Amino acid sequence: MEKIASFTVNHLTLNPGVYVSREDVVGSEVVTTFDIRMTAPNREPVINTAEIHAIEHLGATFLRNHKDFGEKILYFGPMGCRTGFYLLLKGTYRSKDIVPLLTEMYEFIRDFQGDIPGACAKDCGNYLDMNLPMAQWLAKRFLENTLYNIREEFLQYPD
């Protein structure tokens, strides 16, 4: 059996950044999958489930309501390894095309006040597993360390 594409990325040299993971043609549409890597795999702690869950709820809510990208969002959710998120967009995009969108999203998460959308038993299957303060700390860290001054090397997978 062949390795899938995401298992061919060298996780020993992968740093936090925004990467095009793949492009797929679905019918007549292109779907671009982004790897939004928030922590350095195998070198930094993974994101705990409560934080990743809070980021997922806030990020998905922000993205699906975005005035320019809302209709293009197909999916936003955590990676199984808990080092970041996948974002699937309808259309062909490069990593640098979505840095402004991600910056807006992580600022929204960093500054969010109030109840996390969908964080109740009726709306979510694990609503008690949320940690907003830590999600905000991680959003701030990703903004300051990665998004605000993103370099080309953090927009393309390393060889």
Side-chain angles (χ1 to χ4, degrees), residues 53-139:
H53 194 192
I55 292 170
E56 175 194 17
H57 274 240
L58 289 167
T61 299
F62 173 84
L63 291 167
R64 291 182 186 278
N65 285 285
H66 194 272
K67 63 183 172 59
D68 299 321
F69 281 90
E71 305 252 335
K72 299 171 185 173
I73 303 299
L74 299 176
Y75 174 78
F76 174 76
M79 296 174 176
C81 63
R82 295 184 298 147
T83 60
F85 291 83
Y86 286 116
L87 171 62
L88 280 68
L89 284 178
K90 185 168 42 171
T92 302
Y93 297 93
R94 295 168 299 164
S95 295
K96 67 181 180 179
D97 297 335
I98 67 157
V99 169
L101 173 66
L102 294 178
T103 299
E104 280 184 66
M105 182 187 81
Y106 281 98
E107 287 174 341
F108 171 79
I109 294 167
R110 179 198 62 201
D111 300 337
F112 186 81
Q113 299 293 314
D115 295 331
I116 295 172
C120 65
K122 179 179 171 272
D123 298 342
C124 177
N126 193 14
Y127 77 100
L128 294 175
D129 191 28
M130 301 257 187
N131 184 339
L132 179 59
M134 195 63 197
Q136 292 175 312
W137 184 88
L138 288 163

